Amino acid sequence: MKKYIVLLSLSLFGFAQQTPAPKQTKSILILNAKAHLGNGQVIENSLISIVDGKIAAIGDATVMRVAAHDVTIDASGKHVYPGFIAPNSTLGLVEIDAVRASDDESEIGEFNPHVRSIIAYNSESKLVETTRPNGVLIAQITPRGGRIPGSSSIVQLDAWTWEDATIKVNDGIHLNWPKSYSRAGWWAEPGGIEINKNYEPQTKSIQEYFESAFAYLGSKNTKKDIPFEAMNGLQSGQKTLYINANGEKEIIDAVLFKKKNNIKNMTIVGGYYAFRVAPLLKENNVSVLLKRVHDLPLLEDEDVNLPYKNAKLLVDAGVLVGLENAGDMERMQTRNLPFYAGTCAAWGLSKEQALQLISGNTAKILGIDEQYGTLEAGKSATLFISEGDALDMKSNLISLAFIDGRNISLDSHHTELYKRYKEKFEQAKK
């Protein structure tokens, strides 16, 4: 029996992912590419110097001069982008949905702010390596389940262990706000939506928990409460409170909750109807990680294109917006993040505005913008070179990618299968 278990495990999980790249030792100069900086700006004919994992210099190649580098890359006719960032992700927490032993995305219980997703992150997940060939190089690893699932952390996606991968540990607490409505009966039944009679008690329990936690943190209690200790930093701004909410009422109540509890940094995750209360969000400095763009409307009588237009409505209102990908098959879909941004560009945003949704804007929301998210001198050299438009699935063809200046592998289980069966058909032609 043990023999069969071992064989099954090998067939399900395969072998480890590509070997992480070593630390940068040679200076690199990228010339003549069109550089999309991730802050709305573009350099048509760029020069990018990478030294010791950092962008040492960036500018117009026609006027800027630098000393000779160990490696020079002529990227004429190509595009350079900052590494894309996938927030609110369970990447690395689940390998195969149907195999319980590979699922570590949630814990039992309702209030678990002390649960740290980072220690469950599998840096050798085969799903992690599928994101890199499309330019997704950074992710926020986020727990699921319960009212407060726990604390997220931010990782780069080419590492030996979770310790090596970590960019920012315990960046925020995640809260699943109650819905003001509930669905009765089978999900496909028409008219199955009704008012959630428990909404007020549920929101009250959240308020009571936060009050107890902050009272504990403000006291000199000698008995340590680990869950309450994890709430430390929400009022000072060291941590962000990420509230999962889509409805208009829920979002308004969440903003009022922020004000009542003196929470400095808050982000709405999902935010499907956030555009209806955009002035309130802007006034209270609340950002939005918008729910998956490639989706159907929440209600059957809505504009079928609303999910595509949502980002522009919020951007035009002055709200800081990023894109997230929670939902069905979310880990496998992570690689499609740039194409969500491309759809936003097709429905009103400029290409550079759309790019910001998965680069500079998301870095600001996650609090890593001092080092990541845009191409600027002094920041991490986490970027990639694409043959074409990285937001277009037809022309997104990445030839080189760097994380902290390390030239990472773009191979994956997908590319290995492609090469294998390409060879099969080439043999058949002979």
Side-chain angles (χ1 to χ4, degrees):
M1 176 62 73
K2 290 182 180 179
K3 178 180 178 181
Y4 294 126
I5 292 174
V6 171
L7 290 174
L8 176 62
S9 299
L10 288 173
S11 65
L12 287 175
F13 295 100
F15 299 98
Q17 70 166 48
Q18 306 301 317
T19 302
K23 185 177 180 180
Q24 180 187 6
T25 57
K26 295 182 178 181
S27 59
I28 301 169
L29 184 63
I30 302 173
L31 290 173
N32 305 320
K34 183 175 182 179
H36 305 262
L37 305 189
N39 58 7
Q41 300 178 20
V42 175
I43 301 175
E44 292 293 338
N45 190 18
S46 68
L47 173 153
I48 303 174
S49 168
I50 304 174
V51 180
D52 295 330
K54 301 284 187 181
I55 299 176
I58 182 169
D60 190 332
T62 61
V63 297
M64 194 173 185
R65 296 291 180 270
V66 294
H69 285 56
D70 298 321
V71 177
T72 299
I73 301 170
D74 184 3
S76 299
K78 300 179 182 180
H79 301 253
V80 175
Y81 293 87
F84 298 151
I85 307 170
N88 190 37
S89 173
T90 55
L91 198 64
L93 297 183
V94 183
E95 193 68 6
I96 301 174
D97 291 339
V99 179
R100 188 174 181 181
S102 75
D103 187 336
D104 204 4
E105 67 177 356
S106 64
E107 296 291 341
I108 61 172
E110 283 295 293
F111 295 92
N112 294 313
H114 59 299
V115 169
R116 302 169 63 236
S117 62
I118 187 64
I119 61 173
Y121 174 68
N122 176 19
S123 61
E124 293 197 351
S125 167
K126 296 187 79 66
L127 294 172
V128 168
E129 68 181 15
T130 66
T131 70
R132 301 194 297 251
N134 279 356
V136 181
L137 307 181
I138 297 172
Q140 180 194 39
I141 308 306
T142 306
R144 300 281 191 260
R147 188 63 66 200
I148 299 181
S151 302
S152 58
S153 293
I154 303 163
V155 300
Q156 51 85 5
L157 301 179
D158 182 68
W160 289 101
T161 65
W162 67 261
E163 293 95 338
D164 297 334
T166 302
I167 290 174
K168 186 177 183 180
V169 67
N170 303 333
D171 69 290
I173 302 290
H174 292 255
L175 168 62
N176 292 317
W177 197 262
K179 292 181 179 180
S180 60
Y181 63 90
S182 59
R183 184 179 292 277
W186 186 41
W187 67 268
E189 290 180 20
I193 296 177
E194 59 183 29
I195 293 174
N196 177 13
K197 297 177 181 178
N198 294 317
Y199 181 75
E200 294 301 331
Q202 289 169 346
T203 56
K204 183 179 179 182
S205 69
I206 294 172
Q207 180 60 43
E208 290 173 349
Y209 189 86
F210 273 69
E211 286 177 354
S212 298
F214 294 149
Y216 165 85
L217 293 170
S219 69
K220 296 181 180 179
N221 199 324
T222 56
K223 187 177 180 180
K224 194 169 185 178
D225 188 299
I226 294 176
F228 284 170
E229 289 283 345
M231 301 285 280
N232 192 21
L234 287 177
Q235 291 181 313
S236 66
Q238 292 176 313
K239 293 181 180 179
T240 298
L241 180 62
Y242 297 93
I243 296 186
N244 289 268
N246 283 299
E248 184 176 352
K249 175 176 173 55
E250 289 88 336
I251 294 171
I252 292 173
D253 288 346
V255 174
L256 295 176
F257 178 82
K258 171 186 185 291
K259 296 172 69 175
K260 182 176 182 178
N261 293 282
N262 298 314
I263 295 169
K264 188 173 182 181
N265 296 326
M266 191 181 91
T267 295
I268 296 295
V269 179
Y272 185 78
Y273 291 113
F275 68 92
R276 293 180 176 174
V277 292
L280 178 68
L281 297 175
K282 183 181 179 182
E283 178 185 347
N284 289 278
N285 195 31
V286 176
S287 53
V288 175
L289 288 173
L290 197 58
K291 77 186 296 288
R292 186 183 295 176
V293 173
H294 291 179
D295 207 347
L296 294 172
L298 291 184
L299 299 177
E300 60 185 19
D301 58 348
E302 288 179 338
D303 179 0
V304 70
N305 297 315
L306 181 57
Y308 311 149
K309 301 174 182 177
N310 228 331
K312 177 174 172 53
L313 295 172
L314 288 169
V315 169
D316 287 351
V319 178
L320 182 62
V321 185
L323 300 182
E324 60 105 10
N325 180 52
D328 292 340
M329 300 184 68
E330 61 181 82
R331 291 163 294 281
M332 299 72 140
Q333 296 277 12
T334 304
R335 65 185 185 273
N336 292 326
L337 186 68
F339 311 138
Y340 301 159
T343 297
C344 293
W347 287 88
L349 293 180
S350 70
K351 277 292 178 67
E352 301 311 314
Q353 285 178 315
L355 171 62
Q356 288 178 270
L357 301 179
I358 56 174
S359 56
N361 285 11
T362 304
K364 288 179 183 177
I365 292 170
L366 302 186
I368 58 171
D369 53 307
E370 288 188 4
Q371 287 298 320
Y372 299 92
T374 57
L375 302 179
E376 298 179 56
K379 288 192 174 185
S380 167
T382 299
L383 52 89
F384 63 89
I385 301 174
S386 176
E387 303 290 322
D389 182 354
L391 305 189
D392 178 6
M393 65 177 68
K394 191 174 182 179
S395 60
N396 180 336
L397 181 61
I398 297 177
S399 52
L400 287 171
F402 302 87
I403 293 179
D404 296 326
R406 299 179 296 113
N407 187 354
I408 67 170
S409 171
L410 294 175
D411 288 330
S412 69
H413 187 57
H414 292 174
T415 60
E416 289 172 0
L417 289 175
Y418 167 77
K419 292 174 183 176
R420 178 184 177 187
Y421 287 102
K422 181 182 178 183
E423 178 64 24
K424 172 186 175 182
F425 288 109
E426 286 179 349
Q427 290 177 6
K429 292 177 183 178
K430 297 178 181 178

